[in-house]
Every structure is written in C-alpha cells, then in structure tokens.
Amino acid sequence: MNCAPRALVTRPAHDAAQWVRDLAAQGVVAQALPLIGIRSVAAPVLAQALQQARAAAPGYRALMFVSGNAVTHFFEPNVALALTGQAPAAINTRAWAPGPGTVQALLAAGMPAARIDAPPASSAQFDSEALWPVVAPQLKAGDCVLIVRGASAPAAPGGSGREWLAARLAEAGVQVDFVAAYERCAPALDASALALARQGAQDGSLWLLSSSEALAHLAQALPGQDWQRARALATHPRIAQAARATGFGQVHECRPALADVAASIKSLHAR
C-alpha cells in the first residue's frame, strides 16, 4: 500500500482541482476524477430566465445559492447585473449559502460578508437542513426568495434541487422562485479517466463522494462494473446510501469540511 493515503476526488473539474490542492496540503495524496460536468445554460428560454432573475435580484428578500457554481454562473462578469449597476455589493438582498465553499464563492464575487448567511462552521452537515434555522428568523409572510440552482441535462426551466428548503419556505408563507444558473451533465471521460475509474474500483483507493448524481454518472460510464472491492467516503448520509445502492463494498461517512475529510482519509488508510 502507498505510504500516503490516496483519494479520488469526484467533484466538478474546477472544484476537484482545488480539493486536490487542499488535500495535498493536509498530507493526502489525491487525484481528480470529475464525475459531474458544469456548463452555462444553453437553451434560449433558460438563458432568458437567468437574465430576468439577475435583473430582479434586488427585489428578493434573499437569494439562496445551492453551490459555488450557482454563484459563479449567476454573477458572471459582463452580464446584466454589471450593466445595470446591480453588482453583488450593490444588492441589499441577503445571500444564503449551504456551506463554506459557497460562502467563499460569494465573497469572491463581491458579496459583502455581512449580508451572507450560512450554517455555523461546527454544523454536522452543510445543507438546507443546517441552513434553515439560521435564515428562518429573518423571514415573514409575503417575502420572496429566489433559489439559484443547477439543472440536470436535458435542462428543465428553473432547474432542480432544494425541494426541502422550498417546502419550508412555502410553509412560512414565503414565495419561492427558481432559476437555473448552470447545467449539470455527465462528463466526457476519456480513456485515461475510465482506466483510473476501473483501477479505483479494485485497488483500495478511497472515492471521495459529494454528490449522488456523480455516482449515477459513474455507473453509466462503467456499466456492469463490480464495486464490491471499492471504498467510498461520503459527505452526506444520502450520498452514502446512494454509494451502497451502487454496490460499493465499504462506505464511510464524514462531515464535508476539509479537515474532517482529510482526517477520515488518513484514518481509513491506516486500517
């Protein structure tokens, strides 16, 4: 076995590259194997809806961004927000983030920290359930919240995801609108990526899983693959359940924070 723990990072390419660097700084040998592709919305109806949502952003009580990718594609440079003077710093609307990665993306986009709401760093999970107790007290009936999310290809208007949060908002008398800021799709895995995936199914590598959709893409890319010897580290119970359903022989769970992920990888490597 290698003298250093090894992990396969399955996040979208940009995020995976950052995680590989961050894990390396923690003494973890990691390799990027992106299992989700991210691209701008292509359908004219989706692009038009996104432009309209950008222009209407100041009228919402809050904008909820499901991920850093949602932030990046909503606040793209040289779009309507900048042209109308509605850059992030000029919007008085609250910005909601489910976790630290999204918070960092909002800060990088120019959103003032004082207007960002997110779960505490000590939260067991970074998700809608952890965000809700933070933001619920600021709401009143009649408020409007925009959920900025992704759409799975083939994309549907408004995108998909965060239905639990939308239900809680509706119960509080809050109007919920949705917009798709980007599209998620299956990645185009080349021969070397497929070879790495097959190897990772057999050699004891630890798959770092942060999305059930990534697992679905993996199963599609390698139909019939035996995953009984594969090991997974999932950052959410629902993802762990999906990994078990896919057939992973060992599935472990941990908090999604970098320090916890790195510590879990090292611990599992030592076994």
Side-chain angles (χ1 to χ4, degrees), residues 90-245:
I91 299 175
N92 292 320
T93 299
R94 305 294 299 178
W96 296 353
T102 309
V103 170
Q104 289 303 313
L106 283 165
L107 293 172
M111 183 67 70
R115 291 211 298 275
I116 300 174
D117 301 301
S122 59
S123 297
Q125 289 294 334
F126 298 129
D127 55 16
S128 295
E129 288 88 338
L131 175 64
W132 178 241
V134 177
V135 300
Q138 62 185 246
L139 297 168
K140 64 181 184 300
D143 282 342
C144 298
V145 170
L146 176 68
I147 296 181
V148 184
R149 56 188 183 175
S152 297
S160 59
R162 306 294 166 168
E163 280 75 18
W164 184 91
L165 179 61
R168 302 292 81 73
L169 289 166
E171 290 169 357
V174 174
Q175 177 183 324
V176 184
D177 293 337
F178 301 94
V179 68
Y182 63 97
E183 294 181 20
R184 298 182 302 270
C185 58
L189 299 179
D190 60 19
S192 62
L194 290 172
L196 178 60
R198 293 189 184 96
Q199 180 183 353
Q202 303 291 329
D203 68 358
S205 296
L206 192 63
W207 292 74
L208 178 55
L209 302 173
S210 56
S211 167
S212 299
E213 192 169 7
L215 276 166
H217 293 160
L218 179 61
Q220 293 168 5
L222 296 178
Q225 175 67 50
D226 182 3
W227 297 101
Q228 279 301 306
R229 295 176 60 187
R231 303 190 303 159
L233 180 62
T235 58
H236 196 281
R238 286 191 290 268
I239 302 170
Q241 182 179 5
R244 296 185 182 100

Side-chain angles (χ1 to χ4, degrees), residues 1 17 21 32 53 67 74 86 96 123 135 142 148 159 165 174 187 200 211 232 248 253 261 268:
M1 183 178 290
R21 291 190 291 269
S67 65
F74 190 82
Q86 297 298 337
W96 296 353
S123 297
V135 300
V148 184
L165 179 61
V174 174
S211 167
F248 275 72
E253 300 178 32
V261 170
L268 291 169

Side-chain angles (χ1 to χ4, degrees), residues 18-35:
Q18 184 62 53
W19 269 85
V20 167
R21 291 190 291 269
D22 292 343
L23 287 170
Q26 298 278 332
V28 174
V29 176
Q31 191 165 354
L33 182 56
L35 293 179

Side-chain angles (χ1 to χ4, degrees), residues 46-113:
L46 298 185
Q48 181 180 9
L50 179 56
Q51 289 289 72
Q52 292 172 343
R54 287 164 171 159
Y60 285 98
R61 182 70 182 83
L63 307 176
M64 190 279 171
F65 295 91
V66 304
S67 65
N69 285 308
V71 174
T72 300
H73 285 82
F74 190 82
F75 290 125
E76 282 180 328
N78 304 317
V79 297
L81 283 168
L83 295 175
T84 60
Q86 297 298 337
I91 299 175
N92 292 320
T93 299
R94 305 294 299 178
W96 296 353
T102 309
V103 170
Q104 289 303 313
L106 283 165
L107 293 172
M111 183 67 70

